[in-house]
């Protein structure tokens, strides 16, 4: 059974940084394409970033140059470094593998 647990969210001022983590189990993590998605109330799910097993990364235009996705295959953990945060980055962030998502971690950017 796929199990994903996100952590690392919080309240941060504009321009600040956070590092999100996602602990994964129940599948062969090192081979899996992993992604981060986010959702705000009243809006649909937005894809943020993805990373292939070999390390190739992709980013949404809205976060390119500010967010960095990475993975530690030895620890079965996915990361998302969020820098230069903006108020519009406020959302619940989920890691995703296939159709499975975790419970999410809330990121709130506010002064």
């Amino acid at each position: 059974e796929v199990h994903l647990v996100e952590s690392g969210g919080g309240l941060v001022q504009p321009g600040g940084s956070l590092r999100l983590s996602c602990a994964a189990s129940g599948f062969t993590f090192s081979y899996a394409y992993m992604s981060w998605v986010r959702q705000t109330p009243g809006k649909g799910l937005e894809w943020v970033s993805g990373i292939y097993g070999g390390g190739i990364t992709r980013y949404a235009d809205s976060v390119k140059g500010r967010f960095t996705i990475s993975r530690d295959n030895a620890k079965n953990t996915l990361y998302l470094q969020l820098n230069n945060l903006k108020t519009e980055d406020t959302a619940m962030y989920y890691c995703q593998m296939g159709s499975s998502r975790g419970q999410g971690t809330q990121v709130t950017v506010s002064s």
Side-chain angles (χ1 to χ4, degrees), residues 14-75:
S17 297
L18 285 171
R19 189 192 196 203
L20 308 184
S21 299
C22 172
S25 61
F27 61 99
T28 307
F29 179 81
S30 59
Y31 293 156
Y33 172 78
M34 300 294 298
S35 58
W36 287 96
V37 298
R38 65 187 181 185
Q39 187 166 31
T40 55
K43 292 180 68 174
L45 215 55
E46 176 189 15
W47 175 83
V48 173
S49 181
I51 184 168
Y52 291 88
I56 294 175
T57 59
R58 296 286 187 266
Y59 298 94
D61 288 343
S62 58
V63 307
K64 201 171 294 183
R66 300 188 298 119
F67 291 7
T68 303
I69 191 170
S70 62
R71 64 194 299 158
D72 185 334
N73 289 338
K75 295 182 178 180

Side-chain angles (χ1 to χ4, degrees), residues 75-90:
K75 295 182 178 180
N76 283 5
T77 303
L78 178 72
Y79 302 100
L80 186 67
Q81 178 69 41
L82 291 67
N83 294 331
N84 191 20
L85 281 159
K86 304 176 180 180
T87 54
E88 53 263 42
D89 294 318
T90 295

